[in-house]
Amino acid sequence: MKLKHVLLAFAAIVGASLSQADDFPNKPVTVVVPFAAGGPTDTVARLVAQAMSVNLKQTVLVENVGGAGGTVGAGRVARAPGDGYTLLLHHIGHSTAPSLYRKLSYDPVADFEPIGLITDVPMTFVARRDFQPKTMQELIAYVKANKDKVTYANAGIGSASHLCGMLFMTSIQTDLTTVPYKGTAPAMNDLLGSQVDFMCDQTTNTTSQIKGGKIKAYAVTTKTKVPSLPSLPTVDSTGLPGFEVAVWHGLYAPKGTPAAVVDRLAKALQAALQDPTVKQRFADLGTEPVALNRATPEALRSHLRHEIDKWSPIIKQAGIYAD
Ligand code: ASP
């Protein structure tokens, strides 16, 4: 091909992607949450989607596609058109899935365009209100002594609650019976109904139940205490030194989404994270938006790679896999 033709073809591609971005979005955008409605990831997504819709001047819908620890919803977005109208709001599980699943239908790095990080959420160890142990130390002792009858709820292999439970069981060298759900909203319902004993879940799902005295709470999984739950100690200081896990959330578009569209979405995300209502709700739920320089495609791309490298040896050592 002559140089002139190459330049014309290049100009046509750039022109097409610029005009696509110019009037983007000209129809509603859908954010897929790979967990059940009403849970912690869903809560973050609905707050952010609402604030993004103001900036984008377009409706931003949330669709819940739960199952298999978040991999069903992530797979759906990996196969969606790369036009910016179908996005994925996922959490730390996007980085652990490639180590946990022998057969994953998508590649978390190659099949997505990162848009930006959103928030880091602490987790909490919580139990049904009538569960016997009263403190984190008692929980550890009770679980070790009653491992055949205790049940642990999670949102499936690859979920944050699974990861936290896996770290807990490895730390106390005890295997428990796990009960998987499509998200921790239905798991919380069963905890409230005393059908399951305990779980580890984001403060964005547990805070109001803890404050309302509906469930028992033992400790937070971050190295420092959480201001909105001041009475809770850290797991690190109550029996499992070094124990630490927090759930970071990110927003992604499918691979091939034009850079200008990704940039537009990143700007809308950054505006959403500065929204006073979002900040206040996040604070009430034990979290805060990331610094704006982390709500960018580059920051999420490098964080995702870093997290994949961090969790891969830990998961290999734990010897946990799903098909
Ligand atoms: N908290 C869940 C998890 O364990 C997911 C959710 O329902 O948002 O990953």
Side-chain angles (χ1 to χ4, degrees), residues 33-43 69-70 90-93 123 152-156 158-164 181-187 199-202 204-205 247 249:
V33 169
F35 297 104
T41 313
D42 182 66
T43 298
H90 204 340
H91 62 29
I92 188 169
M123 300 188 87
Y152 177 83
N154 69 24
S159 63
S161 42
H162 166 255
L163 183 64
C164 183
Y181 296 81
K182 283 196 173 172
T184 43
M199 71 171 168
C200 170
D201 198 23
Q202 288 113 293
T204 33
N205 197 31
V247 185
H249 296 74

Side-chain angles (χ1 to χ4, degrees), residues 225-304:
K225 291 176 61 166
V226 175
S228 57
L229 293 167
S231 63
L232 288 189
T234 64
V235 178
D236 172 66
S237 66
T238 48
L240 299 178
F243 192 100
E244 186 181 21
V245 55
V247 185
W248 56 271
H249 296 74
L251 188 64
Y252 307 81
K255 187 80 197 164
T257 305
V261 170
V262 170
D263 277 357
R264 180 71 192 89
L265 289 164
K267 296 238 158 43
L269 173 63
Q270 288 154 16
L273 297 184
Q274 293 173 81
D275 182 301
T277 313
V278 171
K279 283 180 157 178
Q280 187 56 54
R281 277 300 287 149
F282 273 16
D284 294 344
L285 296 172
T287 184
E288 58 183 5
V290 294
L292 288 189
N293 64 357
R294 295 182 71 215
T296 61
E298 306 71 47
L300 177 53
R301 183 174 291 111
S302 83
H303 188 72
L304 177 64

Side-chain angles (χ1 to χ4, degrees), residues 101-305:
Y101 283 82
R102 282 190 233 263
K103 291 179 221 142
L104 200 58
S105 69
Y106 59 89
D107 181 324
V109 174
D111 292 341
F112 294 87
E113 307 286 352
I115 296 169
L117 282 153
I118 301 170
T119 179
D120 295 298
V121 183
M123 300 188 87
T124 42
F125 275 90
V126 293
R128 60 181 165 85
R129 216 164 67 151
D130 47 357
F131 198 40
Q132 195 173 310
K134 291 192 191 61
T135 62
M136 191 67 204
Q137 287 95 337
E138 281 183 29
L139 176 73
I140 296 168
Y142 185 88
V143 160
K144 280 179 159 175
N146 296 279
K147 65 180 174 56
D148 294 331
K149 64 174 200 195
V150 169
T151 50
Y152 177 83
N154 69 24
I157 294 183
S159 63
S161 42
H162 166 255
L163 183 64
C164 183
M166 183 188 83
L167 293 177
F168 178 70
M169 291 180 219
T170 311
S171 310
I172 64 169
Q173 295 179 341
T174 306
D175 263 344
L176 296 174
T177 304
T178 54
V179 186
Y181 296 81
K182 283 196 173 172
T184 43
M188 177 60 82
N189 284 341
D190 275 7
L191 204 66
L192 291 166
S194 290
Q195 276 102 358
V196 67
D197 291 329
F198 81 115
M199 71 171 168
C200 170
D201 198 23
Q202 288 113 293
T203 52
T204 33
N205 197 31
T206 58
T207 301
S208 58
Q209 309 295 359
I210 294 171
K211 289 196 163 159
K214 304 254 171 55
I215 52 176
K216 218 167 234 177
Y218 299 109
V220 296
T221 61
T222 36
K223 279 271 174 75
T224 51
K225 291 176 61 166
V226 175
S228 57
L229 293 167
S231 63
L232 288 189
T234 64
V235 178
D236 172 66
S237 66
T238 48
L240 299 178
F243 192 100
E244 186 181 21
V245 55
V247 185
W248 56 271
H249 296 74
L251 188 64
Y252 307 81
K255 187 80 197 164
T257 305
V261 170
V262 170
D263 277 357
R264 180 71 192 89
L265 289 164
K267 296 238 158 43
L269 173 63
Q270 288 154 16
L273 297 184
Q274 293 173 81
D275 182 301
T277 313
V278 171
K279 283 180 157 178
Q280 187 56 54
R281 277 300 287 149
F282 273 16
D284 294 344
L285 296 172
T287 184
E288 58 183 5
V290 294
L292 288 189
N293 64 357
R294 295 182 71 215
T296 61
E298 306 71 47
L300 177 53
R301 183 174 291 111
S302 83
H303 188 72
L304 177 64
R305 290 222 162 97

